[in-house]
Amino acid sequence: MDSNGVDEQMKLVEGAGGYVLEDVPHLSDYILDLPTYPNPLQSNAAYSVVRQYFVDEDDTVPQKIVVHKDSPRGTHFRRAGPRQKVCFKSADVRACIVTCGGLCPGLNTVIREIVCGLHFMYGVKEVTGVNCGFRGFYSRNTVTLTPKSVSDIHKRGGTMLGTSRGGHDTLKIVDNIEDREINQVYIIGGDGTQKGASAIYKEIRRRGLKVAVAGIPKTIDNDIPVIDKSFGFDTAVEEAQRAINAAHVEATSVENGIGLVKLMGRYSGFIAMYATLASRDVDCCLIPESPFYLEGKGGLYEFIAKRLTENGHMVIVVAEGAGQDLLAESIDQQDASGNKLLKDVGLWMSLKIKEHFAKESKMDITLKYIDPTYMIRAIPANASDNVYSTLLAQSAVHGAMAGYTGFTAGLVNGRQTYIPFNRITERQNKVVITDRMWARMLSSTNQPSFMNPPKGTTSVTE
Ligand code: ATP
Ligand code: MG
Protein backbone atom coordinates (compact mmCIF):
# COMPACT_ATOMS: atom_id res chain seq x y z
CA MET A 1 0.00 0.00 0.00
CA ASP A 2 1.25 3.52 -0.70
CA SER A 3 0.47 6.66 1.30
CA ASN A 4 -2.85 7.02 -0.54
CA GLY A 5 -4.03 3.64 0.59
CA VAL A 6 -3.69 2.24 -2.92
CA ASP A 7 -1.90 -0.98 -3.76
CA GLU A 8 1.35 -0.34 -5.57
CA GLN A 9 0.82 -0.36 -9.32
CA MET A 10 3.65 -2.75 -10.02
CA LYS A 11 4.24 -6.29 -8.95
CA LEU A 12 7.02 -8.56 -10.05
CA VAL A 13 6.17 -11.81 -11.71
CA GLU A 14 8.50 -14.40 -13.05
CA GLY A 15 9.03 -14.24 -16.77
CA ALA A 16 11.13 -16.18 -19.18
CA GLY A 17 14.77 -15.17 -19.15
CA GLY A 18 14.51 -12.78 -16.21
CA TYR A 19 11.53 -10.89 -14.95
CA VAL A 20 8.69 -8.88 -16.28
CA LEU A 21 7.31 -5.91 -14.46
CA GLU A 22 3.56 -6.16 -14.36
CA ASP A 23 3.22 -2.49 -14.96
CA VAL A 24 -0.39 -1.96 -15.72
CA PRO A 25 -3.07 -3.16 -13.38
CA HIS A 26 -6.24 -4.58 -14.79
CA LEU A 27 -9.48 -3.16 -13.48
CA SER A 28 -10.80 -6.58 -12.60
CA ASP A 29 -7.59 -7.42 -10.70
CA TYR A 30 -7.61 -4.32 -8.58
CA ILE A 31 -10.89 -2.48 -8.46
CA LEU A 32 -13.81 -4.60 -9.33
CA ASP A 33 -14.78 -7.98 -10.34
CA LEU A 34 -16.03 -6.82 -13.70
CA PRO A 35 -17.62 -9.36 -15.96
CA THR A 36 -16.03 -9.57 -19.40
CA TYR A 37 -17.70 -9.63 -22.79
CA PRO A 38 -16.44 -10.62 -26.23
CA ASN A 39 -14.84 -7.63 -27.92
CA PRO A 40 -17.47 -6.21 -30.33
CA LEU A 41 -14.69 -5.90 -32.92
CA GLN A 42 -14.91 -9.68 -33.28
CA SER A 43 -18.39 -9.51 -34.74
CA ASN A 44 -17.92 -6.33 -36.72
CA ALA A 45 -17.63 -7.37 -40.38
CA ALA A 46 -15.62 -4.29 -41.23
CA TYR A 47 -13.04 -5.30 -38.66
CA SER A 48 -13.00 -9.04 -39.30
CA VAL A 49 -9.42 -8.74 -40.43
CA VAL A 50 -8.59 -7.41 -36.97
CA ARG A 51 -9.34 -10.80 -35.47
CA GLN A 52 -5.80 -12.02 -35.89
CA TYR A 53 -4.52 -8.83 -34.41
CA PHE A 54 -6.00 -9.07 -30.92
CA VAL A 55 -3.24 -8.50 -28.45
CA ASP A 56 -2.48 -11.21 -25.96
CA GLU A 57 -2.71 -10.22 -22.29
CA ASP A 58 0.91 -11.17 -21.73
CA ASP A 59 2.33 -9.41 -24.76
CA THR A 60 4.87 -6.87 -23.51
CA VAL A 61 7.33 -4.41 -24.99
CA PRO A 62 10.75 -3.82 -23.42
CA GLN A 63 11.60 -0.25 -22.47
CA LYS A 64 15.18 -0.73 -23.54
CA ILE A 65 16.81 -3.40 -25.62
CA VAL A 66 19.09 -5.21 -23.19
CA VAL A 67 22.08 -6.67 -24.93
CA HIS A 68 24.00 -8.32 -22.11
CA LYS A 69 23.14 -11.99 -21.91
CA ASP A 70 23.15 -12.06 -18.11
CA SER A 71 21.11 -8.94 -17.54
CA PRO A 72 17.48 -9.17 -16.58
CA ARG A 73 14.94 -8.42 -19.24
CA GLY A 74 14.44 -4.95 -17.83
CA THR A 75 11.21 -3.00 -17.66
CA HIS A 76 8.43 -4.14 -19.91
CA PHE A 77 5.15 -2.46 -20.63
CA ARG A 78 1.95 -4.09 -21.78
CA ARG A 79 1.50 -3.91 -25.49
CA ALA A 80 -1.45 -1.75 -26.46
CA GLY A 81 -4.25 -2.91 -28.72
CA PRO A 82 -7.65 -4.57 -28.74
CA ARG A 83 -8.19 -7.55 -26.42
CA GLN A 84 -10.41 -10.56 -27.04
CA LYS A 85 -12.54 -9.54 -24.06
CA VAL A 86 -13.71 -6.14 -22.93
CA CYS A 87 -14.94 -5.08 -19.50
CA PHE A 88 -17.64 -2.68 -20.62
CA LYS A 89 -20.82 -3.22 -22.61
CA SER A 90 -20.93 -0.53 -25.29
CA ALA A 91 -24.28 0.79 -24.11
CA ASP A 92 -22.98 1.18 -20.54
CA VAL A 93 -19.98 3.33 -21.39
CA ARG A 94 -20.12 6.96 -20.32
CA ALA A 95 -16.80 8.47 -21.39
CA CYS A 96 -15.37 11.94 -20.94
CA ILE A 97 -12.35 13.72 -22.40
CA VAL A 98 -10.37 16.64 -20.97
CA THR A 99 -7.33 18.57 -22.27
CA CYS A 100 -4.98 20.43 -19.88
CA GLY A 101 -1.75 22.47 -20.00
CA GLY A 102 -0.33 24.35 -22.99
CA LEU A 103 -1.38 24.01 -26.61
CA CYS A 104 0.26 21.44 -28.85
CA PRO A 105 -0.41 20.43 -32.47
CA GLY A 106 -2.45 17.22 -32.51
CA LEU A 107 -4.71 17.83 -29.49
CA ASN A 108 -7.80 18.02 -31.67
CA THR A 109 -6.77 14.89 -33.56
CA VAL A 110 -6.53 12.94 -30.30
CA ILE A 111 -9.97 14.19 -29.20
CA ARG A 112 -11.43 13.30 -32.60
CA GLU A 113 -9.97 9.82 -32.65
CA ILE A 114 -11.07 8.96 -29.10
CA VAL A 115 -14.63 9.94 -30.03
CA CYS A 116 -14.54 8.13 -33.37
CA GLY A 117 -12.69 5.12 -31.94
CA LEU A 118 -15.23 4.67 -29.16
CA HIS A 119 -18.12 5.19 -31.57
CA PHE A 120 -17.06 3.20 -34.63
CA MET A 121 -14.99 0.43 -33.06
CA TYR A 122 -16.99 -0.13 -29.87
CA GLY A 123 -20.42 1.36 -30.56
CA VAL A 124 -20.13 3.83 -27.67
CA LYS A 125 -22.57 6.72 -28.01
CA GLU A 126 -22.05 8.72 -24.83
CA VAL A 127 -18.90 10.81 -24.96
CA THR A 128 -18.67 14.11 -23.14
CA GLY A 129 -16.07 16.86 -23.49
CA VAL A 130 -15.00 18.71 -20.35
CA ASN A 131 -14.34 22.37 -21.10
CA CYS A 132 -11.21 24.26 -19.99
CA GLY A 133 -9.03 21.63 -18.33
CA PHE A 134 -9.31 20.02 -14.90
CA ARG A 135 -11.25 22.89 -13.38
CA GLY A 136 -13.92 22.32 -16.04
CA PHE A 137 -15.06 19.19 -14.17
CA TYR A 138 -16.56 21.32 -11.42
CA SER A 139 -16.88 24.83 -12.83
CA ARG A 140 -17.91 24.53 -16.47
CA ASN A 141 -20.56 23.05 -18.68
CA THR A 142 -19.75 19.99 -20.68
CA VAL A 143 -20.21 19.43 -24.39
CA THR A 144 -21.56 16.32 -26.10
CA LEU A 145 -19.07 14.87 -28.56
CA THR A 146 -20.17 12.90 -31.60
CA PRO A 147 -18.27 11.77 -34.70
CA LYS A 148 -20.12 14.52 -36.55
CA SER A 149 -19.21 17.29 -34.10
CA VAL A 150 -15.53 16.36 -34.22
CA SER A 151 -15.29 15.39 -37.88
CA ASP A 152 -12.97 18.16 -39.04
CA ILE A 153 -11.45 19.47 -35.82
CA HIS A 154 -8.09 17.88 -36.68
CA LYS A 155 -7.68 20.56 -39.33
CA ARG A 156 -7.67 23.26 -36.67
CA GLY A 157 -4.97 24.08 -34.15
CA GLY A 158 -5.53 24.30 -30.39
CA THR A 159 -8.10 22.21 -28.56
CA MET A 160 -11.84 22.41 -29.24
CA LEU A 161 -12.41 21.74 -25.52
CA GLY A 162 -10.25 24.59 -24.26
CA THR A 163 -7.53 24.12 -21.68
CA SER A 164 -6.18 25.68 -18.48
CA ARG A 165 -3.42 25.58 -15.91
CA GLY A 166 -4.03 25.11 -12.18
CA GLY A 167 -7.45 24.28 -10.76
CA HIS A 168 -6.74 20.63 -10.07
CA ASP A 169 -8.95 19.66 -7.14
CA THR A 170 -8.90 15.86 -6.97
CA LEU A 171 -11.87 15.44 -4.64
CA LYS A 172 -14.13 17.81 -6.56
CA ILE A 173 -13.14 16.23 -9.87
CA VAL A 174 -13.83 12.70 -8.68
CA ASP A 175 -17.11 13.83 -7.04
CA ASN A 176 -18.11 15.12 -10.44
CA ILE A 177 -17.08 11.92 -12.20
CA GLU A 178 -19.14 9.98 -9.68
CA ASP A 179 -22.18 12.28 -9.96
CA ARG A 180 -22.20 12.02 -13.74
CA GLU A 181 -21.71 8.24 -13.58
CA ILE A 182 -18.74 8.50 -15.91
CA ASN A 183 -16.84 5.21 -16.24
CA GLN A 184 -14.06 6.11 -18.71
CA VAL A 185 -11.94 9.24 -18.29
CA TYR A 186 -9.49 10.26 -21.03
CA ILE A 187 -6.98 12.88 -19.89
CA ILE A 188 -4.75 14.58 -22.47
CA GLY A 189 -1.87 16.71 -21.22
CA GLY A 190 1.76 17.09 -20.24
CA ASP A 191 3.75 16.07 -17.17
CA GLY A 192 1.61 18.14 -14.79
CA THR A 193 -1.58 16.76 -16.29
CA GLN A 194 -0.38 13.17 -15.97
CA LYS A 195 0.38 13.81 -12.28
CA GLY A 196 -3.17 15.14 -11.96
CA ALA A 197 -4.49 12.07 -13.80
CA SER A 198 -2.58 9.84 -11.40
CA ALA A 199 -4.15 11.61 -8.40
CA ILE A 200 -7.62 11.15 -9.93
CA TYR A 201 -6.89 7.47 -10.60
CA LYS A 202 -5.79 6.91 -6.99
CA GLU A 203 -8.86 8.63 -5.57
CA ILE A 204 -11.10 6.59 -7.87
CA ARG A 205 -9.40 3.43 -6.65
CA ARG A 206 -9.75 4.54 -3.04
CA ARG A 207 -13.48 5.00 -3.53
CA GLY A 208 -13.76 1.66 -5.34
CA LEU A 209 -15.35 3.19 -8.41
CA LYS A 210 -15.58 1.20 -11.62
CA VAL A 211 -13.87 3.85 -13.71
CA ALA A 212 -11.00 3.48 -16.17
CA VAL A 213 -8.55 6.41 -16.23
CA ALA A 214 -6.44 6.71 -19.38
CA GLY A 215 -3.84 9.37 -20.15
CA ILE A 216 -2.49 10.54 -23.48
CA PRO A 217 0.86 12.34 -23.05
CA LYS A 218 1.08 15.77 -24.63
CA THR A 219 4.28 17.74 -24.64
CA ILE A 220 5.54 19.72 -27.56
CA ASP A 221 9.01 19.82 -25.91
CA ASN A 222 9.34 16.01 -26.00
CA ASP A 223 10.25 16.13 -22.28
CA ILE A 224 8.20 13.09 -21.21
CA PRO A 225 10.42 10.08 -20.49
CA VAL A 226 9.99 6.43 -21.56
CA ILE A 227 8.08 7.20 -24.78
CA ASP A 228 9.91 7.43 -28.11
CA LYS A 229 8.53 10.90 -28.79
CA SER A 230 5.48 12.99 -28.07
CA PHE A 231 2.82 14.02 -30.58
CA GLY A 232 3.20 17.57 -31.89
CA PHE A 233 6.98 17.39 -31.73
CA ASP A 234 7.47 16.69 -35.46
CA THR A 235 5.08 19.50 -36.35
CA ALA A 236 6.94 21.88 -34.04
CA VAL A 237 10.31 21.02 -35.60
CA GLU A 238 8.86 21.48 -39.07
CA GLU A 239 7.21 24.81 -38.29
CA ALA A 240 10.38 26.05 -36.57
CA GLN A 241 12.06 25.84 -39.98
CA ARG A 242 9.98 28.77 -41.13
CA ALA A 243 11.29 30.95 -38.32
CA ILE A 244 14.86 29.80 -38.94
CA ASN A 245 14.48 30.50 -42.66
CA ALA A 246 13.22 33.99 -41.90
CA ALA A 247 16.13 34.59 -39.53
CA HIS A 248 18.52 33.37 -42.22
CA VAL A 249 17.03 35.67 -44.86
CA GLU A 250 17.29 38.64 -42.47
CA ALA A 251 20.87 37.75 -41.54
CA THR A 252 22.07 37.28 -45.12
CA SER A 253 20.47 40.51 -46.33
CA VAL A 254 22.74 42.82 -44.35
CA GLU A 255 26.39 43.07 -43.47
CA ASN A 256 27.24 41.17 -40.26
CA GLY A 257 23.64 40.10 -39.86
CA ILE A 258 22.63 37.88 -36.93
CA GLY A 259 19.31 36.04 -36.82
CA LEU A 260 18.34 34.88 -33.34
CA VAL A 261 15.43 32.42 -32.94
CA LYS A 262 14.00 31.30 -29.60
CA LEU A 263 12.29 27.90 -29.65
CA MET A 264 10.25 25.99 -27.06
CA GLY A 265 12.08 23.82 -24.53
CA ARG A 266 11.87 24.78 -20.86
CA TYR A 267 14.05 21.96 -19.58
CA SER A 268 14.68 19.87 -22.70
CA GLY A 269 16.29 21.16 -25.87
CA PHE A 270 14.95 18.57 -28.32
CA ILE A 271 13.05 21.02 -30.55
CA ALA A 272 16.08 23.34 -30.82
CA MET A 273 18.43 20.42 -31.50
CA TYR A 274 16.26 18.77 -34.19
CA ALA A 275 15.28 22.07 -35.79
CA THR A 276 18.98 22.92 -36.04
CA LEU A 277 19.85 19.55 -37.54
CA ALA A 278 16.98 19.83 -40.01
CA SER A 279 17.74 23.36 -41.11
CA ARG A 280 21.50 23.44 -41.85
CA ASP A 281 21.30 27.25 -41.72
CA VAL A 282 21.95 27.39 -37.99
CA ASP A 283 25.45 28.27 -36.78
CA CYS A 284 24.88 27.81 -33.07
CA CYS A 285 22.28 25.95 -30.99
CA LEU A 286 21.95 26.57 -27.26
CA ILE A 287 19.86 24.31 -25.02
CA PRO A 288 19.18 24.04 -21.27
CA GLU A 289 21.19 20.83 -20.91
CA SER A 290 24.41 22.26 -22.33
CA PRO A 291 26.22 24.95 -20.32
CA PHE A 292 27.55 27.94 -22.26
CA TYR A 293 29.28 31.22 -21.51
CA LEU A 294 29.57 34.54 -23.30
CA GLU A 295 32.95 36.12 -22.57
CA GLY A 296 36.49 34.93 -23.06
CA LYS A 297 38.20 32.25 -25.05
CA GLY A 298 35.80 29.68 -26.51
CA GLY A 299 32.81 31.81 -25.48
CA LEU A 300 29.79 32.81 -27.55
CA TYR A 301 31.01 36.34 -28.35
CA GLU A 302 34.27 35.00 -29.73
CA PHE A 303 32.40 32.45 -31.87
CA ILE A 304 30.00 35.10 -33.22
CA ALA A 305 32.92 37.34 -34.22
CA LYS A 306 34.61 34.40 -35.94
CA ARG A 307 31.52 33.35 -37.91
CA LEU A 308 30.72 36.90 -38.96
CA THR A 309 34.28 37.40 -40.16
CA GLU A 310 34.17 34.11 -42.10
CA ASN A 311 30.62 34.23 -43.50
CA GLY A 312 29.30 37.75 -42.95
CA HIS A 313 26.16 36.42 -41.25
CA MET A 314 24.98 33.83 -38.73
CA VAL A 315 21.87 32.23 -37.20
CA ILE A 316 21.57 31.32 -33.51
CA VAL A 317 18.83 29.07 -32.11
CA VAL A 318 18.24 29.20 -28.38
CA ALA A 319 15.82 27.01 -26.40
CA GLU A 320 13.69 28.99 -23.93
CA GLY A 321 15.21 27.28 -20.88
CA ALA A 322 18.83 27.80 -21.95
CA GLY A 323 21.03 30.28 -20.14
CA GLN A 324 18.59 30.95 -17.29
CA ASP A 325 21.39 31.05 -14.70
CA LEU A 326 23.23 33.71 -16.69
CA LEU A 327 20.35 36.15 -16.72
CA ALA A 328 20.97 38.89 -14.18
CA GLU A 329 17.98 39.28 -11.93
CA SER A 330 15.72 36.33 -11.22
CA ILE A 331 11.94 36.33 -11.21
CA ASP A 332 10.72 34.09 -8.48
CA GLN A 333 7.25 33.54 -9.89
CA GLN A 334 5.15 30.56 -10.86
CA ASP A 335 2.20 30.00 -13.16
CA ALA A 336 -1.16 28.68 -11.92
CA SER A 337 0.10 25.08 -12.13
CA GLY A 338 3.21 25.82 -10.04
CA ASN A 339 5.66 25.83 -12.99
CA LYS A 340 8.54 28.30 -12.58
CA LEU A 341 8.21 31.29 -14.89
CA LEU A 342 11.28 31.64 -17.08
CA LYS A 343 13.00 34.82 -18.15
CA ASP A 344 13.10 35.64 -21.86
CA VAL A 345 16.54 34.38 -22.80
CA GLY A 346 16.09 35.46 -26.43
CA LEU A 347 15.45 39.08 -25.56
CA TRP A 348 18.27 39.06 -23.02
CA MET A 349 20.74 37.53 -25.49
CA SER A 350 19.86 39.97 -28.24
CA LEU A 351 20.53 42.90 -25.88
CA LYS A 352 23.79 41.41 -24.60
CA ILE A 353 25.13 40.66 -28.09
CA LYS A 354 24.22 44.14 -29.39
CA GLU A 355 25.79 45.73 -26.31
CA HIS A 356 28.97 43.68 -26.64
CA PHE A 357 29.60 44.50 -30.30
CA ALA A 358 28.65 48.16 -29.89
CA LYS A 359 31.24 48.47 -27.10
CA GLU A 360 34.40 50.06 -28.44
CA SER A 361 32.90 49.73 -31.94
CA LYS A 362 34.08 46.13 -32.14
CA MET A 363 31.91 45.28 -35.10
CA ASP A 364 28.86 46.82 -36.73
CA ILE A 365 26.21 44.13 -36.42
CA THR A 366 22.48 43.95 -37.22
CA LEU A 367 20.54 41.52 -35.06
CA LYS A 368 16.95 40.37 -35.62
CA TYR A 369 15.22 38.42 -32.86
CA ILE A 370 12.33 36.06 -33.71
CA ASP A 371 10.14 34.30 -31.13
CA PRO A 372 7.76 31.99 -33.03
CA THR A 373 6.53 30.10 -29.91
CA TYR A 374 2.81 30.88 -30.15
CA MET A 375 2.82 30.60 -33.94
CA ILE A 376 4.17 27.05 -33.61
CA ARG A 377 1.96 25.87 -30.75
CA ALA A 378 -1.22 26.96 -32.47
CA ILE A 379 -0.93 25.19 -35.81
CA PRO A 380 -2.68 21.90 -36.68
CA ALA A 381 -0.65 18.69 -36.62
CA ASN A 382 1.29 17.66 -39.72
CA ALA A 383 0.70 14.32 -41.43
CA SER A 384 3.01 12.24 -39.26
CA ASP A 385 1.70 13.74 -36.01
CA ASN A 386 -1.87 13.18 -37.21
CA VAL A 387 -1.12 9.49 -37.72
CA TYR A 388 0.69 9.26 -34.38
CA SER A 389 -2.11 11.03 -32.50
CA THR A 390 -4.61 8.64 -34.06
CA LEU A 391 -2.67 5.58 -32.91
CA LEU A 392 -2.33 6.96 -29.37
CA ALA A 393 -6.05 7.70 -29.16
CA GLN A 394 -7.01 4.26 -30.46
CA SER A 395 -4.60 2.58 -28.02
CA ALA A 396 -6.14 4.48 -25.13
CA VAL A 397 -9.64 3.44 -26.22
CA HIS A 398 -8.69 -0.25 -26.56
CA GLY A 399 -7.04 -0.14 -23.12
CA ALA A 400 -9.94 1.49 -21.31
CA MET A 401 -12.47 -0.84 -22.99
CA ALA A 402 -10.36 -3.83 -21.90
CA GLY A 403 -10.52 -2.55 -18.31
CA TYR A 404 -7.00 -1.22 -17.91
CA THR A 405 -6.68 1.88 -15.81
CA GLY A 406 -4.02 4.23 -14.41
CA PHE A 407 -2.05 4.16 -17.64
CA THR A 408 -0.78 6.46 -20.33
CA ALA A 409 -0.74 5.32 -23.95
CA GLY A 410 2.69 5.74 -25.51
CA LEU A 411 5.08 4.55 -28.16
CA VAL A 412 8.00 2.54 -26.70
CA ASN A 413 10.63 1.06 -28.99
CA GLY A 414 8.31 1.64 -31.93
CA ARG A 415 5.36 -0.20 -30.35
CA GLN A 416 2.19 1.16 -28.79
CA THR A 417 2.12 0.38 -25.05
CA TYR A 418 0.33 1.10 -21.78
CA ILE A 419 2.64 2.85 -19.30
CA PRO A 420 1.74 3.37 -15.62
CA PHE A 421 1.40 7.04 -14.71
CA ASN A 422 4.21 6.95 -12.17
CA ARG A 423 6.69 5.86 -14.83
CA ILE A 424 6.27 8.97 -16.92
CA THR A 425 5.94 11.48 -14.10
CA GLU A 426 9.00 10.44 -12.08
CA ARG A 427 11.55 12.28 -14.24
CA GLN A 428 11.95 14.40 -17.37
CA ASN A 429 13.30 13.41 -20.74
CA LYS A 430 16.38 15.47 -21.57
CA VAL A 431 18.95 15.74 -24.31
CA VAL A 432 22.01 13.80 -23.16
CA ILE A 433 24.92 15.92 -24.27
CA THR A 434 27.33 13.01 -24.14
CA ASP A 435 25.14 11.07 -26.59
CA ARG A 436 25.56 10.77 -30.34
CA MET A 437 22.75 13.09 -31.31
CA TRP A 438 24.22 16.13 -29.59
CA ALA A 439 27.63 15.26 -31.06
CA ARG A 440 26.00 15.09 -34.52
CA MET A 441 24.45 18.47 -33.94
CA LEU A 442 27.81 19.94 -32.85
CA SER A 443 29.51 18.63 -35.97
CA SER A 444 26.70 19.93 -38.14
CA THR A 445 27.00 23.51 -36.83
CA ASN A 446 30.70 23.29 -35.99
CA GLN A 447 30.01 25.39 -32.92
CA PRO A 448 32.07 25.36 -29.72
CA SER A 449 31.01 22.84 -27.06
CA PHE A 450 31.51 25.51 -24.35
CA MET A 451 33.04 22.77 -22.22
CA ASN A 452 36.04 24.74 -20.92
CA PRO A 453 35.01 28.12 -19.58
CA PRO A 454 37.99 30.34 -18.65
CA LYS A 455 38.56 30.69 -14.89
CA GLY A 456 36.23 33.22 -13.31
CA THR A 457 33.70 33.02 -16.16
CA THR A 458 30.12 32.23 -15.30
CA SER A 459 28.90 29.34 -17.34
CA VAL A 460 25.27 28.41 -17.61
CA THR A 461 24.21 25.23 -15.95
CA GLU A 462 20.83 23.52 -16.04
P1 ATP B 1 2.69 21.56 -20.50
O1 ATP B 1 3.66 21.89 -19.40
O2 ATP B 1 3.27 20.68 -21.55
O3 ATP B 1 2.00 22.74 -21.07
P2 ATP B 1 1.29 20.27 -18.36
O4 ATP B 1 0.25 19.21 -18.31
O5 ATP B 1 2.58 19.95 -17.67
O6 ATP B 1 1.50 20.67 -19.87
P3 ATP B 1 0.56 22.16 -16.30
O7 ATP B 1 -0.05 23.50 -16.44
O8 ATP B 1 1.82 22.01 -15.54
O9 ATP B 1 0.70 21.63 -17.79
O10 ATP B 1 -0.51 21.16 -15.63
C1 ATP B 1 -1.78 20.91 -16.21
C2 ATP B 1 -2.80 20.60 -15.15
O11 ATP B 1 -2.32 19.58 -14.28
C3 ATP B 1 -3.16 21.80 -14.29
O12 ATP B 1 -4.57 21.87 -14.20
C4 ATP B 1 -2.51 21.50 -12.96
O13 ATP B 1 -3.28 21.99 -11.86
C5 ATP B 1 -2.46 19.99 -12.93
N1 ATP B 1 -1.28 19.52 -12.17
C6 ATP B 1 0.01 19.87 -12.38
N2 ATP B 1 0.83 19.27 -11.49
C7 ATP B 1 0.03 18.52 -10.70
C8 ATP B 1 0.26 17.64 -9.57
N3 ATP B 1 1.49 17.43 -9.09
N4 ATP B 1 -0.82 17.05 -9.01
C9 ATP B 1 -2.07 17.26 -9.49
N5 ATP B 1 -2.34 18.06 -10.53
C10 ATP B 1 -1.33 18.68 -11.13
MG1 MG C 1 4.57 20.71 -17.98
Side-chain angles (χ1 to χ4, degrees), residues 101-102 165 189-193 218-219 221 223 266-267 337 339 428:
R165 296 197 190 274
D191 53 340
T193 305
K218 173 238 62 156
T219 155
D221 299 352
D223 58 2
R266 295 172 62 84
Y267 303 104
S337 296
N339 302 307
Q428 275 175 324

Side-chain angles (χ1 to χ4, degrees), residues 148-432:
K148 196 167 175 212
S149 71
V150 298
S151 70
D152 62 359
I153 60 170
H154 62 294
K155 294 174 188 162
R156 299 201 293 270
T159 157
M160 73 163 290
L161 297 177
T163 182
S164 65
R165 296 197 190 274
H168 183 275
D169 185 327
T170 313
L171 298 183
K172 280 198 207 167
I173 293 169
V174 178
D175 285 349
N176 191 274
I177 290 170
E178 213 175 340
D179 290 349
R180 290 176 193 267
E181 296 179 4
I182 287 165
N183 50 18
Q184 291 187 7
V185 185
Y186 295 90
I187 300 173
I188 313 165
D191 53 340
T193 305
Q194 302 301 320
K195 284 178 194 152
S198 179
I200 292 170
Y201 156 72
K202 285 177 178 172
E203 179 59 18
I204 282 174
R205 288 268 306 274
R206 203 185 60 77
R207 296 189 193 184
L209 305 177
K210 303 172 181 182
V211 180
V213 183
I216 293 102
K218 173 238 62 156
T219 155
I220 201 165
D221 299 352
N222 202 33
D223 58 2
I224 290 187
V226 182
I227 58 175
D228 293 354
K229 67 168 181 179
S230 48
F231 73 81
F233 175 71
D234 268 2
T235 310
V237 171
E238 201 170 296
E239 187 65 9
Q241 304 303 300
R242 295 191 338 126
I244 294 172
N245 283 343
H248 187 240
V249 170
E250 289 285 350
T252 50
S253 304
V254 291
E255 199 181 346
N256 292 330
I258 301 174
L260 175 63
V261 180
K262 185 179 78 171
L263 294 176
M264 283 96 59
R266 295 172 62 84
Y267 303 104
S268 310
F270 289 101
I271 295 179
M273 179 172 76
Y274 277 86
T276 298
L277 270 167
S279 151
R280 311 281 161 179
D281 282 336
V282 180
D283 296 87
C284 188
C285 172
L286 303 168
I287 61 170
E289 296 90 333
S290 177
F292 72 92
Y293 54 95
L294 302 174
E295 311 262 0
K297 192 157 172 45
L300 185 64
Y301 293 149
E302 186 192 77
F303 178 61
I304 293 175
K306 182 170 170 275
R307 268 297 145 93
L308 290 180
T309 310
E310 285 167 4
N311 296 347
H313 65 270
M314 80 178 293
V315 175
I316 302 171
V317 162
V318 60
E320 65 180 313
Q324 289 296 311
D325 291 5
L326 269 188
L327 276 68
E329 79 284 7
S330 69
I331 36 168
D332 203 12
Q333 288 173 13
Q334 298 180 333
D335 68 15
S337 296
N339 302 307
K340 194 174 180 320
L341 286 181
L342 298 182
K343 291 155 274 180
D344 189 337
V345 65
L347 206 55
W348 173 80
M349 271 184 66
S350 56
L351 292 174
K352 291 295 279 186
I353 293 170
K354 280 181 194 168
E355 227 174 71
H356 173 81
F357 286 96
K359 224 186 315 172
E360 298 158 29
S361 302
K362 280 195 182 76
M363 203 180 245
D364 220 3
I365 62 152
T366 305
L367 186 146
K368 294 284 186 281
Y369 170 45
I370 300 175
D371 178 359
T373 304
Y374 294 109
M375 309 287 293
I376 293 176
R377 283 174 21 147
I379 61 168
N382 68 7
S384 90
D385 275 329
N386 259 329
V387 173
Y388 186 33
S389 304
T390 302
L391 300 189
L392 287 172
Q394 289 192 355
S395 292
V397 167
H398 290 311
M401 286 302 297
Y404 290 114
T405 183
F407 71 87
T408 287
L411 198 69
V412 176
N413 276 332
R415 298 243 153 78
Q416 291 284 332
T417 64
Y418 299 135
I419 306 162
F421 286 137
N422 61 312
R423 281 301 171 116
I424 59 161
T425 53
E426 64 195 2
R427 65 182 177 88
Q428 275 175 324
N429 190 31
K430 294 190 175 231
V431 173
V432 180

